[in-house]
Amino acid sequence: MVDAARSLTKDSSLTRDSEKAAARVGLRSGEIVIHGGKPLNGSIRLRGAKNLVTKAMVAALLADTRSVLQDVPTLSEIGVVTGMLNAYGVEVAAPEDGVLVLDPTNVERAQFHEIDALAGSSRIPILFCGPLLHRLGEALIPDLGGCRIGDRPIDFHLNALRAFGAVVDKSYEGIRITAPDGLRGTNIELPYPSVGATEQVLLTAVRASGVTELKNAAIEPEIMDLIAILQKMGAIIWMEPNRTIFIEGVDQLTGYEHRAIFDRNEAASWAAAALATGGDITVLGARQPELMTFLNVFRKAGGAFQVQEDGIRFWHPGGHLKPVQVETDVHPGFMTDWQQPLIVALTQAHGTSIVHETVYENRFGFTDALIEMGADIVVHQDGVASVTRRVPRRRLEQAAVITGPTPLHGADVTVPDLRGGFSYLIAALAASGTSTVSNLGIISRGYEHFIEKLSALGADFVYEG
Ligand code: EPU
């Protein structure tokens, strides 16, 4: 089982030349040395979104026949979910690159130590609850992992499960959830439109008896894609205005065939890389509708883009980049996962930019390393009062004030989390001189073949995997 996870984790992209060069300069595993100051030019292709694919894999557990998922990227996070599914008896095969076949016909109880060994690096295990309660009558959830970007509590998830009639017992091992009287449709209003809690409700309600009404739901494009998958499986789900989703439970779901929605976080990351390095990157597979909010900010900051048949071209058109004011928000707002790469580009804008983080309470830790590289960034723990706020409702009011342009210079930095880590790569690519970025394993959780992509875009680096 763990082997299955490992085989999906391995980035097959390493070239022998890169390995030899790494040996010459004495690089350690998981490090990259980047010689910056060169624009990234060329094109790269995206595959399915990590934040949909992992949930689609969990949804396969609800069916009694096999599912086929296409456009699956090679990511360590997907290896973790594969390992979890294997532990529960779901066979996961990859007959060809980018295709997963998930066969849930022999679902069985897992050994706690097996799931515990995998769960510590991911947030996805919490989403196994509903499907496992339906299939096995019990779910064991070990301590969860994922990026350290705030408290990341699971109270919305557990309260929703209780509303369906589940019983939640906390033990020293983790959380044991049972449903002695089955799961019943219910009315839930989320305190905040949480992505994960909305998915939790969807994955539980589709096979609960009766109708569930979910108010204040998240409506991210990846959630719409998950709803599309569930509908293909036989679920009955409809939406009303104001973030309300209704789910009418059904007795049986069958497997799906689905092509995953593209990864808009990765698209925005490469767009920011083009802007920060003065480059020109065509992101094949990126689509305009899901990126509209990002594209507006990109344009306001001085970036140029062109929507093409099979992707979006992003480039720095010359001249000065401009400062912007941005607040992260739930969809259709500016995603919290877009601010880290954008901030690197904003260090080169002429003037003062302000980025408010309203989704997570601690998502500016990555700026310390950018400051070390020469950026002028001040993080205000309670936000910036003088700015008129479009999203005044949360107490998570951290703001980063970025004053530019400041030349960036190379440094040795360690990846702290997924999006912050990618922003370090961008900063190193934009900086003059040489940088060493270590702990790259975290980036492989969410950026497929990023080493090959850097190579295709003409980056000058040496890598040790
Ligand atoms: N929250 C609670 N209680 C809960 C659940 C959430 O207080 O029970 C709070 C969180 O602490 C946070 C806010 O609600 O302050 C939003 O969290 P949400 O549940 O929406 O996030 P998530 O489902 O844990 C997903 C993505 C994140 C992405 C966010 C927001 C996955 C696996 N993760 O997280 O992606 O930033 O939605 O769009 O889908 C990433 O890809 O790097 C990443 C962190």
Side-chain angles (χ1 to χ4, degrees):
M1 175 252 327
V2 175
D3 280 350
R6 278 207 195 106
S7 70
L8 281 164
T9 301
K10 179 84 179 149
D11 188 336
S12 59
S13 62
L14 276 183
T15 63
R16 281 185 193 287
D17 286 352
S18 180
E19 282 174 344
K20 281 185 196 152
R24 272 200 306 278
V25 294
L27 270 187
R28 284 183 307 215
S29 174
E31 283 185 353
I32 187 170
V33 170
I34 294 177
H35 306 292
K38 300 182 182 73
L40 292 186
N41 290 318
S43 62
I44 51 109
R45 178 170 288 283
L46 303 175
R47 290 208 279 192
K50 161 181 90 72
N51 291 348
L52 174 274
V53 167
T54 44
K55 290 68 178 284
M57 292 172 73
V58 179
L61 191 51
L62 285 161
D64 46 19
T65 56
R66 58 177 217 165
S67 294
V68 180
L69 187 57
Q70 284 165 348
D71 249 354
V72 178
T74 305
L75 299 173
S76 57
E77 180 94 347
I78 288 166
V80 171
V81 182
T82 300
M84 291 277 299
L85 287 167
N86 288 164
Y88 285 108
V90 179
E91 284 175 30
V92 183
E96 57 187 279
D97 187 35
V99 178
L100 279 190
V101 178
L102 305 112
D103 186 346
T105 41
N106 295 314
V107 168
E108 60 189 9
R109 279 172 204 277
Q111 299 292 322
F112 185 79
H113 67 85
E114 278 186 289
I115 47 175
D116 193 33
L118 287 159
S121 58
S122 171
R123 304 284 301 165
I124 306 301
I126 187 72
L127 296 177
F128 276 68
C129 290
L132 287 178
L133 287 171
H134 288 301
R135 294 297 301 257
L136 299 170
E138 180 187 66
L140 286 172
I141 306 301
D143 279 345
L144 298 175
C147 288
R148 302 273 168 250
I149 50 183
D151 277 352
R152 307 198 77 177
I154 54 169
D155 51 333
F156 303 165
H157 295 253
L158 298 183
N159 289 340
L161 289 163
R162 287 189 186 101
F164 283 104
V167 176
V168 178
D169 293 308
K170 295 188 183 165
S171 73
Y172 71 95
E173 286 179 315
I175 298 167
R176 179 168 179 268
I177 303 169
T178 50
D181 303 320
L183 296 170
R184 297 174 305 277
T186 184
N187 295 339
I188 296 169
E189 178 162 4
L190 293 176
Y192 179 79
S194 148
V195 168
T198 299
E199 292 160 343
Q200 180 76 261
V201 171
L202 288 167
L203 291 167
T204 306
V206 282
R207 281 193 53 192
S209 61
V211 174
T212 296
E213 178 182 356
L214 175 63
K215 287 187 180 160
N216 205 23
I219 52 167
E220 268 63 7
E222 295 77 18
I223 287 180
M224 294 303 123
D225 210 36
L226 180 63
I227 290 176
I229 288 172
L230 292 168
Q231 190 180 47
K232 285 178 177 175
M233 296 173 76
I236 299 171
I237 302 173
W238 67 99
M239 296 192 61
E240 289 186 356
N242 295 331
R243 299 184 173 277
T244 303
I245 303 178
F246 290 90
I247 306 111
E248 186 176 319
V250 295
D251 291 337
Q252 191 188 16
L253 293 170
T254 52
Y256 61 81
E257 281 197 34
H258 192 77
R259 182 174 293 280
I261 188 173
F262 77 99
D263 197 314
R264 33 193 201 122
N265 291 340
E266 189 182 347
S269 300
W270 290 114
L275 199 57
T277 64
D280 186 335
I281 302 179
T282 299
V283 182
L284 298 169
R287 283 167 33 92
Q288 182 183 20
E290 294 82 359
L291 284 168
M292 287 226 167
T293 307
F294 177 81
L295 294 173
N296 287 332
V297 174
F298 188 80
R299 176 173 278 160
K300 281 187 180 177
F305 64 88
Q306 182 188 35
V307 179
Q308 302 176 344
E309 188 67 24
D310 186 23
I312 303 180
R313 178 184 160 211
F314 298 94
W315 73 98
H316 188 313
H320 289 167
L321 295 185
K322 290 173 274 190
V324 292
Q325 288 193 11
V326 183
E327 288 171 33
T328 66
D329 201 355
V330 293
H331 188 75
F334 189 92
M335 282 197 80
T336 165
D337 304 274
W338 295 338
Q339 51 98 342
Q340 305 82 348
L342 179 76
I343 281 178
V344 182
L346 294 179
T347 65
Q348 301 313 305
H350 285 242
T352 299
S353 299
I354 302 177
V355 178
H356 267 99
E357 171 60 52
T358 78
V359 179
Y360 289 105
E361 61 270 56
N362 184 17
R363 222 175 178 181
F364 284 132
F366 73 99
T367 57
D368 287 349
L370 299 185
I371 294 166
E372 203 185 315
M373 295 175 84
D376 179 349
I377 304 175
V378 179
V379 175
H380 297 262
Q381 294 305 330
D382 300 318
V384 179
S386 58
V387 175
T388 311
R389 302 290 316 285
R390 191 177 59 78
V391 192
R393 65 180 179 277
R394 297 201 91 200
R395 280 190 291 123
L396 316 176
E397 300 281 334
Q398 270 194 336
V401 176
I402 308 115
T403 305
T406 49
L408 298 178
H409 51 79
D412 293 351
V413 292
T414 303
V415 168
D417 61 70
L418 178 60
R419 306 297 166 195
F422 197 84
S423 82
Y424 288 5
L425 292 182
I426 301 176
L429 291 158
S432 60
T434 299
S435 299
T436 302
V437 184
S438 50
N439 205 18
L440 290 181
I442 292 184
I443 299 183
S444 330
R445 276 188 48 219
Y447 291 90
E448 183 185 40
H449 299 327
F450 65 93
I451 294 294
E452 285 149 316
K453 289 174 183 167
L454 288 175
S455 184
L457 295 171
D460 182 358
F461 67 90
V462 182
Y463 169 64
E464 175 62 51

